[in-house]
Amino acid sequence: MNILDRIFGVDKKRLDEISKKAKLVDALAPQYAAYSDDELKAKTAEFKERIANGESLDSLLPEAFANAREAARRVIGEYPFFVQIMGGIVLHQGDIAEMKTGEGKTLTSVLPVYLNALEGKGVHIVTVNEYLVQRDAKWMGAIHRFLGMSVGVNIRSMTPRQKREAYLCDITYTTNAEAGFDYLRDNMVVNIEDRVLRPLNVALIDEVDSILVDESRTPLIISGGQKQTANLYIQADRFCKNLVASEDYEIDVKGKTVQLTESGVHAAEKAFRIDNLYDLSHTNLVHHLYQALKANYIMLRDVEYVVQDKEIIIVDPFTGRLMQGRAYSDGLHQAIEAKENVPIKQETSTLATITYQNFFRLYKKLCGMTGTAKTEEEEFTSIYNMRVSEIPTNKPIIREDFPDAVFGSRKAKFEALLEEIIVLHTKGQPVLVGTIAVETSEFVSKILNQRKIRHEVLNAKNHAREAEIIAKAGHKGSVTIATNMAGRGTDIKLGEGVRELGGLAVLGSERHESRRIDNQLR
């Protein structure tokens, strides 16, 4: 919180206003609890009629929230707490609700989504992956269906007709990538009837910091047309593999760039039998050489990408998940394929592109929730005009945070990590080890195998078993090694007798370059 906020208590004043509105919702609880199921369902038609007669969503808020709250209790047996009502109000106002892990962000979203869907113009609930899309549509969608709302799911494998039907629903669950690509495809159709999207109305983004900050400048690209360039990539790759580090090329690790030295330039001129590498006529060759250098010396296997079934699949750096069907642009993907000796896909040219930042600003109302947004508040305010409100926790936090342990060498660090796991595992306390890359998670798994400690690994390579691994991660004696996949939208529930042992022990193998991703582990 900055000094001005402290002086004027802006955040506190805002929370007090939200709290007042939440009390109006809470006061209606006994009245709505007395209604029958049919009376709750009939309220939806009543609200829609009142909106048609000119009543605003803001004046409907207390009643609509109370209705959805009671429906949640009856359908899934969960009743939104007072703080969740506060979070819902922040979301309805087009802002960001920062709610700590385990505070029930998914349930919080039900209230503003129901209210905004009453207009009949469509509400998109945007999450970071298809696992969460399908889980939430089934889980929270049941509440909306009970109240007479139509719920649609939009995933990559759907046909345009199925997508159109999904977007015509009152509420549509989708991933950020799929919504963005649908928008691009809609702008490329010849007939207006072939479009799948309606005008963009309301978007509620789960893990809003991941989508609107981490990935904000990520371009979504639709490409087409084919260029025959495979041979050039193979030649450039062979050449780069024979270069000598420090002598022929220099790496800037922080900037993730690699440059040929003078000696490397001479080697290239000799290898490709040319006089001047940087002559304008050799621009194409220079481009291929630099992509081959980047592929070989900057892009790391099992960190930035994995190789599966003779294919290069990108690993999302923020969620640790596989990005099926995505490719690096500018020929970098082909350079990596040459490096890994897998079939080289034909290069294509860009037909349409948009960044997440520009796409989400097209919505009439944008709101979001996450556990870690306050650190980026300035960016949210200046780019998206969204304020960040820290919603208090329902109960005081009892988690114990220990200071970082710093070691002189990588070997010493992993030995200490192993000893800590053994100590905790011996007394039966469940352990979650957070790592920042697939490679690290596999290394930790290897050293645990050597000590014959049973464990599960949750990373991009076995994401299909994610739900099963997460379900067991809080049980007595379990050891789970995870990349940052475990930090996004996945709940680890504690098994019997675990609370008495001290709960789930979370160990981080190293700090992530983003402070927010470290906070997710907590």
Side-chain angles (χ1 to χ4, degrees), residues 2-14:
N2 65 34
I3 295 163
L4 280 175
D5 274 3
R6 268 199 215 118
I7 296 166
F8 298 113
V10 174
D11 280 11
K12 189 179 183 313
K13 195 174 163 192
R14 186 144 187 266

PDB file of all heavy atoms in Angstrom, residues 2-14:
ATOM      1  N   ASN A   2       0.630   2.219  -0.894  1.00  0.00           N
ATOM      2  CA  ASN A   2       1.509   3.383  -0.907  1.00  0.00           C
ATOM      3  C   ASN A   2       1.117   4.381   0.183  1.00  0.00           C
ATOM      4  O   ASN A   2       0.077   4.264   0.833  1.00  0.00           O
ATOM      5  CB  ASN A   2       1.552   4.029  -2.306  1.00  0.00           C
ATOM      6  CG  ASN A   2       0.212   4.601  -2.718  1.00  0.00           C
ATOM      7  OD1 ASN A   2      -0.546   5.095  -1.890  1.00  0.00           O
ATOM      8  ND2 ASN A   2      -0.068   4.532  -4.003  1.00  0.00           N
ATOM      9  N   ILE A   3       1.983   5.422   0.377  1.00  0.00           N
ATOM     10  CA  ILE A   3       1.820   6.357   1.493  1.00  0.00           C
ATOM     11  C   ILE A   3       0.488   7.100   1.422  1.00  0.00           C
ATOM     12  O   ILE A   3      -0.213   7.237   2.424  1.00  0.00           O
ATOM     13  CB  ILE A   3       3.013   7.354   1.512  1.00  0.00           C
ATOM     14  CG1 ILE A   3       4.299   6.560   1.818  1.00  0.00           C
ATOM     15  CG2 ILE A   3       2.813   8.431   2.561  1.00  0.00           C
ATOM     16  CD1 ILE A   3       5.567   7.257   1.491  1.00  0.00           C
ATOM     17  N   LEU A   4       0.121   7.556   0.212  1.00  0.00           N
ATOM     18  CA  LEU A   4      -1.150   8.301   0.060  1.00  0.00           C
ATOM     19  C   LEU A   4      -2.343   7.465   0.512  1.00  0.00           C
ATOM     20  O   LEU A   4      -3.241   7.949   1.188  1.00  0.00           O
ATOM     21  CB  LEU A   4      -1.343   8.718  -1.406  1.00  0.00           C
ATOM     22  CG  LEU A   4      -0.560   9.954  -1.844  1.00  0.00           C
ATOM     23  CD1 LEU A   4      -0.750  10.185  -3.329  1.00  0.00           C
ATOM     24  CD2 LEU A   4      -1.008  11.197  -1.087  1.00  0.00           C
ATOM     25  N   ASP A   5      -2.311   6.174   0.110  1.00  0.00           N
ATOM     26  CA  ASP A   5      -3.396   5.281   0.525  1.00  0.00           C
ATOM     27  C   ASP A   5      -3.458   5.159   2.031  1.00  0.00           C
ATOM     28  O   ASP A   5      -4.526   5.104   2.628  1.00  0.00           O
ATOM     29  CB  ASP A   5      -3.205   3.886  -0.100  1.00  0.00           C
ATOM     30  CG  ASP A   5      -3.814   3.814  -1.489  1.00  0.00           C
ATOM     31  OD1 ASP A   5      -4.316   4.829  -1.987  1.00  0.00           O
ATOM     32  OD2 ASP A   5      -3.789   2.723  -2.056  1.00  0.00           O
ATOM     33  N   ARG A   6      -2.263   5.110   2.642  1.00  0.00           N
ATOM     34  CA  ARG A   6      -2.217   4.975   4.093  1.00  0.00           C
ATOM     35  C   ARG A   6      -2.814   6.206   4.755  1.00  0.00           C
ATOM     36  O   ARG A   6      -3.554   6.121   5.725  1.00  0.00           O
ATOM     37  CB  ARG A   6      -0.769   4.784   4.557  1.00  0.00           C
ATOM     38  CG  ARG A   6      -0.423   3.321   4.653  1.00  0.00           C
ATOM     39  CD  ARG A   6       0.787   3.090   5.517  1.00  0.00           C
ATOM     40  NE  ARG A   6       1.524   1.973   4.931  1.00  0.00           N
ATOM     41  CZ  ARG A   6       2.750   2.087   4.463  1.00  0.00           C
ATOM     42  NH1 ARG A   6       3.386   3.224   4.523  1.00  0.00           N
ATOM     43  NH2 ARG A   6       3.346   1.059   3.944  1.00  0.00           N
ATOM     44  N   ILE A   7      -2.464   7.387   4.202  1.00  0.00           N
ATOM     45  CA  ILE A   7      -2.931   8.649   4.787  1.00  0.00           C
ATOM     46  C   ILE A   7      -4.451   8.760   4.673  1.00  0.00           C
ATOM     47  O   ILE A   7      -5.155   9.062   5.611  1.00  0.00           O
ATOM     48  CB  ILE A   7      -2.239   9.867   4.115  1.00  0.00           C
ATOM     49  CG1 ILE A   7      -0.721   9.819   4.409  1.00  0.00           C
ATOM     50  CG2 ILE A   7      -2.833  11.178   4.607  1.00  0.00           C
ATOM     51  CD1 ILE A   7       0.102  10.752   3.549  1.00  0.00           C
ATOM     52  N   PHE A   8      -4.943   8.511   3.469  1.00  0.00           N
ATOM     53  CA  PHE A   8      -6.372   8.721   3.231  1.00  0.00           C
ATOM     54  C   PHE A   8      -7.224   7.463   3.429  1.00  0.00           C
ATOM     55  O   PHE A   8      -8.438   7.511   3.349  1.00  0.00           O
ATOM     56  CB  PHE A   8      -6.585   9.265   1.808  1.00  0.00           C
ATOM     57  CG  PHE A   8      -5.921  10.599   1.595  1.00  0.00           C
ATOM     58  CD1 PHE A   8      -4.844  10.708   0.721  1.00  0.00           C
ATOM     59  CD2 PHE A   8      -6.364  11.731   2.255  1.00  0.00           C
ATOM     60  CE1 PHE A   8      -4.220  11.931   0.524  1.00  0.00           C
ATOM     61  CE2 PHE A   8      -5.750  12.952   2.053  1.00  0.00           C
ATOM     62  CZ  PHE A   8      -4.668  13.059   1.190  1.00  0.00           C
ATOM     63  N   GLY A   9      -6.566   6.338   3.680  1.00  0.00           N
ATOM     64  CA  GLY A   9      -7.291   5.088   3.923  1.00  0.00           C
ATOM     65  C   GLY A   9      -8.240   4.712   2.800  1.00  0.00           C
ATOM     66  O   GLY A   9      -9.356   4.252   3.031  1.00  0.00           O
ATOM     67  N   VAL A  10      -7.766   4.903   1.549  1.00  0.00           N
ATOM     68  CA  VAL A  10      -8.623   4.647   0.388  1.00  0.00           C
ATOM     69  C   VAL A  10      -9.141   3.216   0.388  1.00  0.00           C
ATOM     70  O   VAL A  10     -10.344   2.978   0.230  1.00  0.00           O
ATOM     71  CB  VAL A  10      -7.851   4.939  -0.932  1.00  0.00           C
ATOM     72  CG1 VAL A  10      -8.679   4.542  -2.145  1.00  0.00           C
ATOM     73  CG2 VAL A  10      -7.474   6.403  -1.016  1.00  0.00           C
ATOM     74  N   ASP A  11      -8.238   2.265   0.605  1.00  0.00           N
ATOM     75  CA  ASP A  11      -8.635   0.854   0.569  1.00  0.00           C
ATOM     76  C   ASP A  11      -9.659   0.527   1.648  1.00  0.00           C
ATOM     77  O   ASP A  11     -10.639  -0.164   1.405  1.00  0.00           O
ATOM     78  CB  ASP A  11      -7.412  -0.048   0.730  1.00  0.00           C
ATOM     79  CG  ASP A  11      -6.655  -0.178  -0.586  1.00  0.00           C
ATOM     80  OD1 ASP A  11      -6.983   0.592  -1.502  1.00  0.00           O
ATOM     81  OD2 ASP A  11      -5.753  -1.027  -0.688  1.00  0.00           O
ATOM     82  N   LYS A  12      -9.418   1.067   2.858  1.00  0.00           N
ATOM     83  CA  LYS A  12     -10.314   0.766   3.971  1.00  0.00           C
ATOM     84  C   LYS A  12     -11.696   1.358   3.710  1.00  0.00           C
ATOM     85  O   LYS A  12     -12.724   0.718   3.921  1.00  0.00           O
ATOM     86  CB  LYS A  12      -9.722   1.314   5.273  1.00  0.00           C
ATOM     87  CG  LYS A  12     -10.513   0.831   6.474  1.00  0.00           C
ATOM     88  CD  LYS A  12      -9.978   1.306   7.797  1.00  0.00           C
ATOM     89  CE  LYS A  12     -10.773   0.721   8.955  1.00  0.00           C
ATOM     90  NZ  LYS A  12     -12.227   0.801   8.797  1.00  0.00           N
ATOM     91  N   LYS A  13     -11.696   2.588   3.190  1.00  0.00           N
ATOM     92  CA  LYS A  13     -12.957   3.272   2.901  1.00  0.00           C
ATOM     93  C   LYS A  13     -13.766   2.461   1.877  1.00  0.00           C
ATOM     94  O   LYS A  13     -14.977   2.276   2.011  1.00  0.00           O
ATOM     95  CB  LYS A  13     -12.627   4.667   2.340  1.00  0.00           C
ATOM     96  CG  LYS A  13     -13.795   5.626   2.316  1.00  0.00           C
ATOM     97  CD  LYS A  13     -13.294   6.993   1.895  1.00  0.00           C
ATOM     98  CE  LYS A  13     -14.459   7.871   1.442  1.00  0.00           C
ATOM     99  NZ  LYS A  13     -14.004   9.082   0.781  1.00  0.00           N
ATOM    100  N   ARG A  14     -13.060   1.959   0.869  1.00  0.00           N
ATOM    101  CA  ARG A  14     -13.722   1.188  -0.190  1.00  0.00           C
ATOM    102  C   ARG A  14     -14.276  -0.127   0.363  1.00  0.00           C
ATOM    103  O   ARG A  14     -15.378  -0.529   0.052  1.00  0.00           O
ATOM    104  CB  ARG A  14     -12.709   0.932  -1.307  1.00  0.00           C
ATOM    105  CG  ARG A  14     -13.349   0.274  -2.483  1.00  0.00           C
ATOM    106  CD  ARG A  14     -12.797   0.722  -3.809  1.00  0.00           C
ATOM    107  NE  ARG A  14     -13.649   0.101  -4.817  1.00  0.00           N
ATOM    108  CZ  ARG A  14     -13.376  -1.060  -5.398  1.00  0.00           C
ATOM    109  NH1 ARG A  14     -12.264  -1.665  -5.147  1.00  0.00           N
ATOM    110  NH2 ARG A  14     -14.211  -1.592  -6.263  1.00  0.00           N
TER     111      ARG A  14
END
